[in-house]
Structure formats: structure tokens, C-alpha cells
Amino acid sequence: MVDTKEQLQELVLVVGGGGREHALAWKLARSPRVKHVFVSPGNAGTAAGKAVGPEACPIENVALKTHEEIAAFAAREKISLVVVGPEVYLKDGLVDRLKEQGTRVFGPTREESRLEWSKAHAKELLASLSIPTARFLVAETGEEAIALIEKNDFARVIKLDGLAAGKGVYVTAGREEAEEAVRELAASQGLSLCDPMKLVLEETLVGEEVSLFCLADGKMLFSLAAGQDHKRRFEGDQGPNTGGMGAYTPVPLYEKLQASIQEQVVAPLSKALAKGTFSFQGLLFIGLLIDKNGTANVLEFNARFGDPETEAIMPLLESDLYELLEACVEGRLTECKPPRFKEGASVTVVAVNEEYPRSGSKDVPIEIGPMPEGVALFHCGTALKDGHVVTNGGRILAPTAVAATLDEARQLALQALAPERISFKGLAFRRDIACVAKAAGEKICQST
Ligand code: AMP
Ligand code: GLY
């Protein structure tokens, strides 16, 4: 047995400032190996002085503005592991920069993160491995895209090949709408239809979306957990798309199809990693769409943890997250035991400001009372102003409840949102997270 003081030695830096980063910091702070977690820039939930529970080490914010500041801090403080949250840092090469100086970092390099921001690259990898995915075509200009749309009746989902903060995908109902989407995408980039602009045109798939999180160490890949998020702003999956109004885990549909998803999606990717067909270290988020025949099609990859799925998954994860991430960085995933999860279910309901996603909210005071047992309150867009918690974004708080069933967890998360526990001007949330709309207007709650 190692002496506890010796075990408690690792310093971790989590990069990002949303609910995902709060949940990662919360979980890493519970590792017996970790003695301090820094978060940059963090939010009011990760600020020093906040009680994070007797079983956790301290969490503290640091304001590091550039890659150079992050790299200098990591070197000076002898950070044992940097965990990168948002995709923009990956695309801008933060992982490459940290690796150059020998800092251990969980996350893909700029080139590896192309799987997220180049949809054409992702589709080509999927096709080469015969992994089920929507039929697709790649166009190099708007003009070529319009010609392909005219000739191919299936090409109705139009995607810009690049990081577009969720705004580069149009699911259209017909030819004219699809062509209009091409024109809008060109205009949004300040380009004409003849200018180079890579687009992916896909067939429309219908089904349930599931977010599958896999850990990759550069040599192999294994499933960590699956969650489902709710992207639409209003109940019954109505209204505009958002960053995510809530999430839950486990996903009964995924549990049912786990063996075939492993065989058709995860195993081919893992083999391809081993063979060097592609390279990836970090969290590979596989966006699945399960159709009515039970086929799991890969819609997209993200090269990072999802938000708000991470908030739902972390409180159920029993294994030491630090050890899992360290094994990825050191290429030792084969030595890890399969991740363990608590029995039961977890539901995250995101509290937003009522104007979201049109606009966010800033500096509005938030009153927070004690949470019910079984609830972890993750902060998303919050800040501290004169010692008081205030709003600082569109998605504000993400109370996450763990209970025996999805239904109980949902009810507990809603109790956390009672006015005496969380209140701010303009507070809004969906009450139907973890429910599925079975028929218009009629919602049937899934049970575990
Ligand atoms: P993506 O960024 O590629 O995941 O697309 C964003 C969202 O658009 C997905 O989460 C789906 O809801 C939807 N979507 C993307 N591709 C398709 C498709 N081929 N068929 C239907 N919906 C899609
Ligand atoms: N929840 C979806 C995402 O993080 O992209």
C-alpha cells in the first residue's frame, strides 16, 4: 500500500469554463491520486472557496488567456495532466503545443481532431471501414453542391466541412430548401458559389440519437458510457436547436443494442487505430442515430467530451477518472479494467435564460439554496461578481440528479430547480428531459 500522502500528488488543469468542465473537475477532484484541480477560465462553480464536498480535493480557477499562458502555467506548476474541454482549443493546436514541451495532455492533436471539424474526413474514414453511416457526397464548391443536389434525390442534409459551432448543418425537406441551404452557407462564409467551399451532402436519417463516449489511447478504443441529450429548446423536442437542454444516462435503447454497436462501430474503429489507419488519443464522442430497424448509424464524431452528457455521466462513474485519462495519455488502456458505474440513473436538466438560444444573460444575480440529497449542481454560464454568483451565458446551471430510475432522477433534478433552491430572473428549463415523445403531445417516460 502506498502512503496516502504520497498518493495525493497529482495536479490537474482542466481547460474550459462550462458545465462539462465543472463536471470533469468535480470528478477528477474525487480521485485519490489528485491533490488540486485548476480550471481555466472556469466559472463560479469552480472558483476557489466553493465547497466541493469532504471527499474531494480543492478546485480553483486560473485565468490563462492564450496557449502560451496555458503552457507556461503547466510547466511552472508541474501539472501532471491537462484535460482539454472545448473543441476550439483542439483545432487551434493546444495539445500539440503542450506535447512539444513534454506536458502530459488528454486530448487529440490538431490533426487528430479533424475527425470533428472535417465532416468529409470523418465520412471518408467511416466509409473506408464499412461502418454504417448516411449515404453522402462531397462537393468542393457551392455550384457543384447545387448540381449534385439536382441529380441526387437523397442529398438533403447539407453540412459545411469545418468547425461551425453547431451552425453548419441544415436538415432540409426538399431540393429547393437544400439549394437554399447551400446559398446560406456560402453567404455565412462571405463566399460566392464558385469559391472553394467544401460541403458534405447526406441522405436524411430518422431515429433516436445517442452520444457514445469512447476512450482512445492511440492504440485502441473502448466505450466509456452512452448518454442522450435534448437539443431542442422546448418540451416535446420543439423549437430551435441549442447547445443542449439536458441529458440522461443510461440510455435504454443503447443498452439493448450495445453488443451490435460494439461489433459494427466500436470494434472496427479500435482495429483501425491499432493498424494506424487513423490516429487518436482522447475522448472520441460518436454521435449515433439508431433507426427503426435498430441499425446504429454514425452521424458525426466529436473529438471531446459532450456537453451536457458529461454532467449526467460523471456522477454515475465509479472508476477513478484520473487513472482512465492517464492510461489514455500513456497508451496503457489495455491494462485498465472496464469502467465501473453506480447502479441507477442520472438526469441533468439545464437551467437557461428565457431568451436562449437567441441571446444569453449577463450579470443577473442567482440565488442558490442547498441542493436535495443526490443532486450535484454543475455551473455552466456563471461568474462571480463582488462575491455573488451571476449569470454569464445562455446555459446557466446544470443540476444533475442520481436516483434508482430515470424517472426518479428526473423528478429529483426538477426538485433542485424549485424557486427556493435556484432562482434568477428569466430562469427557464425543460421538464421532459429523459422522457420520450411517443406521439404528438403524449409523453411516455422511459423506465430503466
Ligand atoms: P452533426 O454536426 O453532423 O452531428 O449534425 C448536427 C445535427 O443534425 C445532428 O445531431 C442531427 O440531429 C442532425 N443531422 C445530421 N446529419 C443528419 C442526417 N444525415 N439525417 C438526419 N439528421 C441529421
Ligand atoms: N451534446 C452534444 C455536444 O456536446 O456536441
Side-chain angles (χ1 to χ4, degrees):
M1 263 306 268
V2 193
D3 171 68
T4 324
K5 276 195 213 105
E6 244 174 72
Q7 276 191 322
L8 266 174
Q9 56 191 2
E10 314 293 358
L11 299 174
V12 178
L13 170 65
V14 176
V15 178
R20 162 182 53 203
E21 287 76 26
H22 189 179
L24 290 171
W26 178 94
K27 180 63 188 161
L28 287 162
R30 281 159 174 75
S31 164
R33 303 262 314 277
V34 176
K35 76 168 178 200
H36 203 94
V37 180
F38 297 97
V39 187
S40 172
N43 55 37
T46 52
K50 292 270 128 195
V52 288
E55 72 281 36
C57 75
I59 301 179
E60 176 186 350
N61 286 343
V62 277
L64 306 168
K65 293 195 181 64
T66 61
H67 288 195
E68 286 316 307
E69 284 184 21
I70 294 170
F73 179 84
R76 191 176 65 241
E77 299 295 329
K78 299 191 172 52
I79 296 293
S80 333
L81 182 69
V82 178
V83 180
V84 184
E87 57 272 30
V88 64
Y89 290 97
L90 304 170
K91 187 172 188 231
D92 291 348
L94 176 61
V95 170
D96 308 61
R97 173 67 187 86
L98 292 171
K99 281 188 168 169
E100 250 168 50
Q101 69 174 26
T103 297
R104 297 199 312 169
V105 51
F106 177 83
T109 61
R110 177 181 154 79
E111 175 57 27
E112 290 170 350
S113 72
R114 267 179 78 211
L115 274 185
E116 169 157 1
W117 50 270
S118 169
K119 302 211 180 267
H121 173 59
K123 292 296 277 189
E124 278 149 17
L125 177 70
L126 290 165
S128 74
L129 300 175
S130 305
I131 294 175
T133 189
R135 270 197 295 167
F136 72 104
L137 297 164
V138 179
E140 301 293 338
T141 63
E143 217 169 34
E144 188 189 350
I146 288 177
L148 288 171
I149 289 166
E150 275 170 17
K151 273 194 251 136
N152 297 277
D153 282 345
F154 77 85
R156 296 294 175 257
V157 179
I158 316 302
K159 299 184 177 182
L160 185 67
D161 186 63
L163 204 58
K167 297 189 180 87
V169 177
Y170 287 70
V171 181
T172 71
R175 184 172 63 81
E176 275 174 24
E177 221 183 280
E179 293 181 11
E180 189 49 33
V182 173
R183 286 190 204 94
E184 276 182 31
L185 282 170
S188 74
Q189 304 299 298
L191 298 171
S192 85
L193 290 179
C194 315
D195 290 325
M197 175 179 69
K198 209 176 218 183
L199 294 167
V200 174
L201 318 173
E202 281 183 24
E203 112 186 80
T204 312
L205 297 178
V206 180
E208 284 286 310
E209 285 184 50
V210 175
S211 309
L212 175 59
F213 287 9
C214 294
L215 290 170
D217 70 352
K219 295 188 272 192
M220 70 165 295
L221 178 88
F222 73 57
S223 329
L224 175 67
Q228 188 172 48
D229 75 349
H230 294 256
K231 292 196 171 78
R232 300 297 196 101
R233 170 66 175 78
F234 301 112
E235 286 172 18
D237 288 332
Q238 302 295 311
N241 265 330
T242 70
M245 296 296 295
Y248 67 92
T249 187
V251 183
L253 183 62
Y254 170 79
E255 306 278 296
K256 212 166 100 188
L257 299 171
Q258 200 169 357
S260 74
I261 293 171
Q262 171 62 31
E263 188 192 322
Q264 290 178 21
V265 178
V266 180
L269 285 167
S270 191
K271 276 193 206 133
L273 258 187
K275 270 182 33 198
T277 312
F278 79 112
S279 154
F280 196 88
Q281 182 270 112
L283 195 285
L284 186 66
F285 167 149
I286 307 178
L288 298 170
L289 186 144
I290 300 173
D291 66 22
K292 63 177 189 317
N293 306 318
T295 302
N297 296 276
V298 176
L299 269 192
E300 62 161 345
F301 291 117
N302 292 314
R304 46 152 182 97
F305 286 94
D307 195 343
E309 295 92 326
T310 304
E311 289 93 306
I313 289 169
M314 287 304 134
L316 267 197
L317 178 63
E318 221 164 46
S319 305
D320 181 344
L321 181 65
Y322 183 84
E323 299 224 315
L324 288 169
L325 303 191
E326 182 187 55
C328 289
V329 171
E330 294 179 351
R332 295 189 288 99
L333 262 187
T334 40
E335 292 169 22
C336 286
K337 296 198 191 89
R340 291 184 320 279
F341 285 85
K342 292 185 189 123
E343 292 285 319
S346 173
V347 173
T348 301
V349 177
V350 180
V352 300
N353 73 290
E354 58 196 348
E355 300 295 314
Y356 178 75
R358 231 174 333 121
S359 62
S361 156
K362 203 164 165 53
D363 293 342
V364 173
I366 306 174
E367 301 306 326
I368 300 175
M371 288 294 117
E373 211 186 314
V375 174
L377 180 61
F378 297 124
H379 288 230
C380 313
T382 66
L384 281 179
K385 196 178 178 197
D386 306 325
H388 201 91
V389 181
V390 294
T391 60
N392 186 31
R395 291 191 288 171
I396 316 286
L397 291 165
T400 298
V402 170
T405 64
L406 282 174
D407 206 31
E408 285 172 43
R410 182 177 62 88
Q411 284 170 26
L412 188 56
L414 293 175
Q415 280 172 31
L417 282 155
E420 67 277 16
R421 297 210 171 88
I422 296 179
S423 75
F424 58 88
K425 196 163 162 279
L427 166 73
F429 55 89
R430 278 179 59 168
R431 309 189 76 87
D432 66 343
I433 302 303
C435 292
V436 280
K438 225 189 174 182
E442 182 204 355
K443 296 185 203 82
I444 306 291
C445 283
Q446 296 174 335
S447 61
T448 39

